[in-house]
Structures are given as C-alpha cells and as structure tokens.
C-alpha cells in the first residue's frame, strides 16, 4: 500500500532556532495517525508546513501527497486536494447558521444567488454523517462546543476531505462528546478518510490510533504501531519526555487548618434567561492548607459557580452567604472579592486571563498595581524585580520579562497568569482548569506550585475535567452536576468510578 | 515555546533584530524629518524660518494638546468626535464671560476648563456607564455643542479679549537673562537675541540626554533594555540637536511662545501618566483586553469615564488657546479639529482596536499633520487639495503600519 501522505526530512528554521529537524511522517489512506509530544515539540509547526501556512520554500524537505511531490503556496492549495485542518480554536461565525457556516466561501449558488434549498439539503446530509441532530438554520452561538466541533467536521466533509487534521479536538469536550468524536473518526477510517490527530489526551490516542508518531524537540522520536504492541499511557509518556515519568503528581503531606472560605446556599440565575437557575443552592468550604477539587461534567456549572463567587463576574440575582476567615464577606464586585482575598484563575487564559499584547511584566503586576506603586506612580525598579522574581520562581521560559504574553507557549502563559494571582497574595485561589492544553512537564510544575500554596496555608479550589488530576492533587472532592453539589468525599475514598457513579445516580434520580 | 524564546533572544543579540521590531518608531520620526526637509526645500527655506517655526508651534499646539487626550481615549478602545465642537463651545463661553460679563480672565480660564471637564464627564457617563458606543455619544456631542456655540454667539464674532488672556497664545516667555549676557557678549549675536529661550533649549537637551542615559543604563542592568547603543545615542543626539536648533531659531525671533511651554509640560505629564502611573497602565490593559482587565479587579467604567473627563478638559484648554490666538470666539472655531486630532493619533501608531499607542508617537503624528498643513499653506496649495493630501498620508501611514504587522 502506498502512503497517502509522506513528509520526508522536513526541517523548518525560525530566526535563531530549528523548530523542526529532519521530521518524517507517513500516513496511509484510511488510518488514524496520532501525533503527540510536549508543547513546543513542533506538532503545530509540522501541521502548518503540511497545510501550506508555511509555504513551499520556507522549509526544507519534501511533501509527497497522493504520490506526487507537492509545493503548497497557501492553505487554499492544500484544501483543494482534500487536506483540511480543524484548529483548536474553532473558526465558526457565531451569529450565522450551521448551513451558512458549512458553505461559507463556497455557497451553492447560481450567478451569485444562493440556492438555499440545495444548501439545506446538503447540510442535512452532512449533519447526518457526523451524527448531529440539529436544524441547518440553527445558529452556531446556540450550540455547545461539542456540537460546534461536529459542525467544523461537517464543514470539512463538505470540502471532500481526504486527510483530516484535528488539533486538540477534544480539549474542550466532555467525556461523552469526546467519545462520539472518536467514534466518528473510526467511521471515517472505514470510509477511507485518513485522520491526523494531535492530542494531549493519551488515553484517547491509545484507544483510537493506528499509529502514533512522537515528536520531541523538533525531531521524530519514533512511530509506534499500535497494532503490533500493547499501548499504554506510560509507554507514550516515556517516549515523549525521554524518561520514565513515575510520578505524575508531586508528593505532598497536607497540613490542614481552620476553615478559610465558605459559601452557603449559593444561588445564581442565568444572565440572559431570567428565572433559570444555573447554580441551585451550593454550600461548600475550603480550609487553610487544603486543596479541594470540584469534579463534574462539562456544563455542570462549575465555572459559573466560581465566577459568580468571584465578584459576581457571572450571572444575576446572586443569593447566598459567603464567609472569609469566619466573617461574612461582601463579594458584590470583583474589586471587593480581590480585596477580600479571593483570586480566580480563568479557564480561558487567552481571552480572560491575559493581555496578550502586553509584556510579561505588566501582566504579572496587573492585579496588584498597588503593590508596586506609591500614590499611583509605578516604581519601575520594584516592578521589574517583582516580575523577575516570579519569572525565576515559576520557571517562566521566555527571553525576558518584556516578552509579550502572545509569544509564550500555553504552559508559560498559564504561569504568567498564576504569577499575577500569586503576586496579589490572596488567601483563597480558585483555579479553573489550571492545566488545560499544557504539556506534561509544565503540568507537573503547576501541581508543585499548587502544593506550595497549600503548604503556605492558603486554600485552593481546583476545577478540572481531568479526573485523574483531581484525584492526584486534591485532599477532598466535591462532585457537581446540573448546578448542585451532589457528593463530597475525601480523596482517599474517591475514584473515577465513584465520581461517575454519583453523577449517573443523580441523572437517574432527576428522571 | 523554545522557538519563541530563541527568536527573541536573537533579537537581544544583534541590533538588526531590534531595528526590525522597532522600525515603526524610527520610521515615524524619519518620515517627519523627511517631510520637513521636503517642505523646507519646496518653500525655499521659509518653513524653518524663525517666524514660521513660531507659527507652526502656535498653529499646532492645540492639536498636540488634544491628541494627548485622544490617545488615552483611543487606547481605551473608544473615540471622541466632539472635541472640535467643545473647542468652539468653550471658546464661546469664555468670550461671553470676558466680553459680555466683564469677568477677569483668570477665573474664566478655570471655569472654562471645568466646563470642558463637565462636558467630558457627561459624554463619559453615557459611554462608560450607559454602555452606548462612544462613536454615537460623541457624534451627538459634536452636533449639540456646535449648535450651542452658534446659539451663544448668535452667529457672530465675540471679542476682543484682555491682553493678558491673548498672551496665552500670542505671548512669549519673559527674558530674564538677556540683559546681563548682552552686557558680556555685546551685540555680536544680535541685540534682540533671547538668551533665556536659547538656554532653555540647551538645558532641555541636556536634561533629555541625562535622563534617557540613566534610564538606558538601568535598563541594561536589568536586561530589560534591548536598544543597541548606536541607535540609542543616534536617536537622542537627533532630539538634542533639534531642541538646541529650535531653541536657537526661536531665540532669534521672539523667544519661546507661552503655548510651547504649556504643550511641553503636558507632553511630559502624559508621558509620565502613560508609562509610570497605575491609571495609565489600567487604560492600556482595558484597551488590550477588557474582559481580562475586569477580571483582575480593575474598575473599567471609572477608568473609561476619566479618559473622557480628561479629554473634555484638554479640549477646553484647546478652546481657550484657539480663542486667545484669534482674539475672538467664532461659531466655526474648532471646526473639523477632531479629524486632525484623530488622524494624528493613528499616524502616530495608535491602534483603532485599542491598547496600543505612545505619547511620543502621537506628538510626532500631530507634527506630521502640522508641517503638512503649514507647508502646503505656504506653497499656496488650495484647502481642498490639502484635504486630499492629508487623507492620503493618513491612509498610507496606517497601511504601512498594517503591512509591517502582518509581515512580522
């Protein structure tokens, strides 16, 4: 069998660094080929070379596709041949319908007049293929992330895709949506469509991939044939980091003190739909030196709970009491919440966490400008020292504190946001998906920071969709579902099965 | 990640990288010098004649002053179309108080600034708290205050003003040191040479070199300053020579105009506010990413509100300067000033989407517009062709800017 795609000896140099060094990749028609590697290993760069974002001539090596040498000058060249990339950040227009999005740019039209009957008919066909039960006229903004992902795939199918490239497709999906997506990839495999899957979720890769190519520091480490050997996460990690990762979670001896933060009967209404309760009477507490986790499925209301607590950054008609160190706290605005000692690390660091165009220094001091200024005048020297201190303490890899946040990798961006909140010196930190989309090495560093925070007597509340992570770093877990806390357990009694069972039990009770 | 690190550290190592990433600022300064040289040549030396330099400053001072306020508005992600009308309105109020009610000029100046600030506060309320887009609010303000100006003045010129008030615009700083120096040097350099102005020019240049050298050395010590020494020295040398040169030119006419002192002080103040003060930092953060800035506990509404109050007060000051210069208030005073002011900001590198822009850039941008206005007027180019040329220059500046950004 000849390969559908063969990339031979690809090297790509940016000023001052070799991003890719002699990388080889071969993908057969109708196979699922996973690519994994730590952030910065060169995965996205390789895909940009393949799709023509970096045009022919800006890299070395050959791309052979369908048996011919290809020299793509841009994305449109590769798309014409059926190579379609679906990026991590979805590229749909929120206020247009599914059909309009699918055919955006190549609408079925005669003389510039769109044939809507044709567009809707084909949209229905495509939606049926991806298993999405929505009307073609439904607006994107009304769909969840999982369904939007399916629309993206339908859009790719509309372009006669032969090689589908998915960059972290399940990063923001819940378990059942992820499973559905992976099943779809298997269906494509049966139809002869090849997929390249980039993911940090190693268990998914192990479950679905035919081959796994591992990149490390811009070179191909190996291509694992998943049918020839038993694939385990440990096996992939070893290959990615080049060593055995025996401890994925740093060890910690908890020293737990008095209650630091507590909310009682917290209720929040949806900001746009009056009367619809999103948070339905939640009570929880966090003690000094304790790491508390909230487990739950996507849409359980965890982020909404955290943001409503953090100065009513979400929702309306917020009711309930909050206590910080035993005293009732006024959390009616973000300023008051910050002043009261709360910090909220957002799950969406690019849009809500960072000023991307500003440098590391100004991002770090933003939440506590008073700490580096006097009478409203910033002490340049002091600010620089603060920024340098966090840069070395949290090991933020950058050229200096004046590097723009935009140019940092995900893990380092997250460390900048963390630094910002550490410098604000809160007593309770709410960390919403603190390790989403960052590589294993950086994850470990963030876990270490969380441990240090707890050790210094702060309370930490962690929201995460990765259950092993919660089980690995927390002392106590709450399980949340549909706006309620439905279970609470110390971590030594908890397991993934027990958490899922609690959620399912409640689903059953609701019906 | 490793690739970005290496890319930037590459910049540190050689000057070429720095040059490339800061091309815009040097380019802007270069364009201004180029345009000045061009008009100096075309006008046969009239542009840089002492009397014309003085004129250039008088004509441009209010544009520069308003551009400082407009920069903060634009960085915060808004726009203010009403500043031209506020100039007219405040001029009319001041004229009425001084001419019709015979009020002394000092309290009139104070009251006028307050009126400007209040207008800004009113518009700022609608933008910041009522969340109406600033384009709409200030479009309304532009119409309202232009109309009120006409109504107050009943369609007529009101003036003249007391001498002291006029001297805000048309006056020059007093000369303290000339008599003794003249006694020493005799009349060799001319009996009317304003030594004070010359000295201020030299002192200013020395101060500039001293402070920027200190900042540069400190920055090097922290590794936060990446500008190669040659560029740093060259840039400051040009600035210093310009300051001394203009000091000399102005001294050989009538000395430094009062407005130049006001303008210079305000430029320094706003540089300080934008780079060193927390409120400045908050404006940039808000414009850069409103949601993220809010989630750190910044009071976004108040900051936006304040940028409008500030703009109103500066527009009020500009109104006084314009009135003092014309020695009368007219219904059309300040007409279409907002266009020059906004153009100055965009030529100077402010981003229409907010979060980006520097005081020095905007000042240079304002002088690009000013030199073109002045030069084309000297050449006798019709006002309509002047509009065409200015429009093309604005477009070209922003186009080159966008092209630069896409390339890197």
């Amino acid at each position: 069998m000849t390969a559908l795609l063969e990339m031979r000896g690809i090297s790509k140099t940016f000023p001052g660094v070799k991003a890719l060094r002699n990388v080889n990749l071969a993908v057969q028609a109708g196979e699922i080929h996973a690519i994994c590697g730590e952030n910065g290993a060169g995965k996205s760069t390789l895909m940009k070379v393949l799709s023509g974002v970096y045009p022919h001539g800006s890299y070395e090596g050959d791309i052979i596709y369908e048996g011919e040498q290809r020299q793509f000058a841009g994305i449109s060249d590769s798309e014409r041949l059926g190579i379609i990339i679906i990026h991590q950040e979805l590229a749909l227009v929120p206020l247009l319908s599914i059909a309009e999005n699918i055919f955006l740019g190549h609408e079925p039209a005669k003389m510039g007049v769109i044939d809507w009957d044709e567009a809707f008919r084909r949209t229905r066909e495509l939606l049926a293929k991806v298993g999405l039960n929505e009307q073609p006229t439904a607006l994107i903004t009304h769909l969840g992330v999982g369904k939007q992902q399916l629309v993206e795939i339908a859009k790719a199918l509309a372009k006669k895709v032969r090689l589908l490239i998915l960059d972290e497709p399940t990063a923001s999906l819940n378990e059942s949506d992820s499973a559905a997506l992976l099943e779809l990839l298997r269906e494509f495999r049966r139809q002869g469509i090849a997929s390249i899957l980039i993911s940090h979720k190693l268990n998914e890769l192990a479950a679905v991939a035919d081959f796994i190519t591992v990149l490390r520091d811009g070179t191909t480490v190996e291509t694992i044939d998943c049918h020839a050997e038993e694939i385990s996460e440990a096996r992939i990690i070893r290959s990615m980091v080049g060593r055995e990762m025996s401890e994925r979670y740093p060890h910690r001896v908890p020293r737990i003190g008095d209650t630091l933060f507590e909310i009682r009967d917290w209720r929040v209404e949806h900001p746009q739909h009056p009367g619809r309760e999103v948070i339905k009477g939640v009570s929880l507490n966090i003690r000094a030196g304790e790491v508390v986790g909230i487990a739950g499925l996507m849409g359980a209301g965890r982020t909404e709970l955290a943001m409503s607590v953090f100065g009513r950054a979400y929702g309306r008609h917020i009711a309930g009491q909050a206590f910080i160190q035993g005293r009732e706290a006024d959390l009616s605005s973000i300023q008051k919440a910050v002043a009261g000692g709360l910090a909220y690390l957002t799950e969406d660091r690019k849009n809500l966490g960072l000023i991307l165009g500003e440098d590391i220094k100004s991002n770090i001091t933003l939440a506590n400008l008073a700490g580096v200024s006097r009478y409203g005048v910033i002490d340049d020297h002091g600010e620089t020292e603060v920024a340098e201190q966090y840069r070395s303490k949290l090991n933020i890899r950058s050229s200096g504190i004046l590097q723009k946040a935009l140019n940092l990798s995900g893990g380092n961006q997250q460390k900048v946001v963390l630094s910002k909140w550490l410098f604000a010196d809160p007593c309770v930190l709410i960390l919403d998906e603190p390790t989403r989309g960052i590589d294993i090495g950086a994850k470990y560093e963030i876990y270490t920071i969380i441990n240090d925070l707890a050790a210094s007597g702060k309370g930490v509340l962690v929201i995460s969709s990765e259950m092993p992570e919660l089980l690995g770093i927390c002392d106590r877990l709450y399980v949340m579902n549909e706006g309620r806390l439905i279970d609470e357990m110390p971590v030594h009694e908890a397991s993934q099965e027990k958490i899922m069972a609690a959620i399912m039990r409640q689903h059953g009770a609701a019906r | 990640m490793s690739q970005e690190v290496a890319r930037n550290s590459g910049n540190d190592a050689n000057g070429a990288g720095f040059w490339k990433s800061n091309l815009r600022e040097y380019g802007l300064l270069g364009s201004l010098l180029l345009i000045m040289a061009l008009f100096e040549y075309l006008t046969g030396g009239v542009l840089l004649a002492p009397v014309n330099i003085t004129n250039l400053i008088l004509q441009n001072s209010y544009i520069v002053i308003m551009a400082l306020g407009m920069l903060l508005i634009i960085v915060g992600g808004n726009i203010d179309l009403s500043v031209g009308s506020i100039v007219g309105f405040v001029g009319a109020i001041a004229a009425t108080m001084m001419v019709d009610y015979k009020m002394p000029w000092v309290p009139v100046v104070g009251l006028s600034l307050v009126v400007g600030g209040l207008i800004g506060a009113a518009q700022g309320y609608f933008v910041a708290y009522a969340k109406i887009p600033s384009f709409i609010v200030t479009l309304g303000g532009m119409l309202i205050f232009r109309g009120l100006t006409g109504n107050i003045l009943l369609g007529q010129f009101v003036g003249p003003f007391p001498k002291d008030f006029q001297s805000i615009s048309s006056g020059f700083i007093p000369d303290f040191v000339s008599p003794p120096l003249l006694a020493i040097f005799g009349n060799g350099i001319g009996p009317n040479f304003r030594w004070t102005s010359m000295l201020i020019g030299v002192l200013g240049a020395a101060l500039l070199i001293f402070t920027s050298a200190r900042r540069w050395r400190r920055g090097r010590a922290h590794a936060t300053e990446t500008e190669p020494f040659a560029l740093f020295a060259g840039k400051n040398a040009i600035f210093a020579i310009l300051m001394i040169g203009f000091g000399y030119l102005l001294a050989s006419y009538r000395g430094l105009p009062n407005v130049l002192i006001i303008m210079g002080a305000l430029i320094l103040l706003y540089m300080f506010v934008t780079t060193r003060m927390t409120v400045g930092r908050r404006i940039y953060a808000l414009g850069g990413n409103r949601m993220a800035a809010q989630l750190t506990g910044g009071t976004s509404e108040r900051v936006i509100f304040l940028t409008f109050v500030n703009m109103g007060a500066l527009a009020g000051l500009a109104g006084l300067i314009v009135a003092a210069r014309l020695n009368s208030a007219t219904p059309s005073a300040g007409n279409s000033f907002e266009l020059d002011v906004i153009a100055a900001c965009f030529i100077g590198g402010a981003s229409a989407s907010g979060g980006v822009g520097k005081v020095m850039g905007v000042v240079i941008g304002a002088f690009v517009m000013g030199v073109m206005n002045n030069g084309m007027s000297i050449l006798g180019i019709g006002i309509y062709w002047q509009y065409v040329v200015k429009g093309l220059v604005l477009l070209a500046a922003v186009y080159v800017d966008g092209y630069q950004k896409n390339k890197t």
Side-chain angles (χ1 to χ4, degrees), chain A residues 335 354 378 383 402 412, chain B residues 1 224 276 278 281 289 299:
Chain A
Q335 291 90 287
L354 289 165
I378 296 171
E383 190 184 24
L402 292 188
N412 286 307
Chain B
M1 156 200 64
T224 55
R276 293 292 306 281
T278 53
R281 184 66 64 79
N289 185 344
T299 44

Side-chain angles (χ1 to χ4, degrees), chain B residues 82-95 145-146 148-150 152-153 315 318-320 322-323 329-335 337:
Chain B
S82 70
V83 291
S85 297
I86 300 179
V87 163
F89 181 74
V90 171
I93 297 245
F145 293 106
R146 179 59 57 201
L148 288 178
T149 308
I152 291 171
L153 297 175
L320 291 174
V322 170
T330 73
S332 65
N335 238 348
F337 277 14

